[in-house]
Amino acid sequence: MTKLTKEEVIDVAHRAMLEITDDEAQQFAEELSVFIDYGEKLNELNLEDVTPMTHALQQMNVMREDVVADVLDREEMLETTKEHQDGAIKVPTIL
């Protein structure tokens, strides 16, 4: 059984810039030790025949054909703008 000490919890809390009391550090040490013990139990499992997965649900990308449709005519579009140059709309410089 791995047991975290109160001093280790205080050190980690200090590095994370968290303020905790001695009582809280003791409580967290006990609670975190339970999680670490559970993780060590999982390390004992035989996982040779288990296929690694990246997500609990089966996912796949849904692809569609890229089709251009219902596009304004460039000249018609440029007629509705205040300023344009060389087929492009001029916009104010933002810096």
Side-chain angles (χ1 to χ4, degrees):
M1 179 172 156
T2 302
K3 181 84 170 150
L4 282 177
T5 65
K6 178 174 72 169
E7 289 75 24
E8 290 172 324
V9 172
I10 290 173
D11 182 53
V12 172
H14 176 71
R15 291 171 191 250
M17 294 192 274
L18 300 173
E19 291 184 25
I20 62 172
T21 65
D22 285 344
D23 292 337
E24 289 173 328
Q26 184 61 41
Q27 178 185 354
F28 292 144
E30 293 169 7
E31 292 174 358
L32 291 170
S33 293
V34 172
F35 288 114
I36 292 172
D37 289 339
Y38 184 72
E40 288 176 355
K41 269 188 178 176
L42 292 176
N43 285 333
E44 296 172 7
L45 295 174
N46 179 7
L47 302 175
E48 284 184 24
D49 298 328
V50 177
T51 306
M53 60 186 212
T54 57
H55 198 278
L57 302 175
Q58 195 74 326
Q59 293 183 330
M60 59 183 279
N61 287 337
V62 178
M63 306 298 265
R64 65 172 172 79
E65 189 174 336
D66 191 14
V67 178
V68 178
D70 297 331
V71 178
L72 288 176
D73 178 56
R74 178 179 296 274
E75 295 304 319
E76 183 182 343
M77 178 187 62
L78 290 175
E79 287 176 8
T80 63
T81 62
K82 289 183 181 180
E83 294 185 58
H84 56 88
Q85 178 181 353
D86 300 326
I89 298 171
K90 289 178 72 174
V91 295
T93 304
I94 301 173
L95 288 177

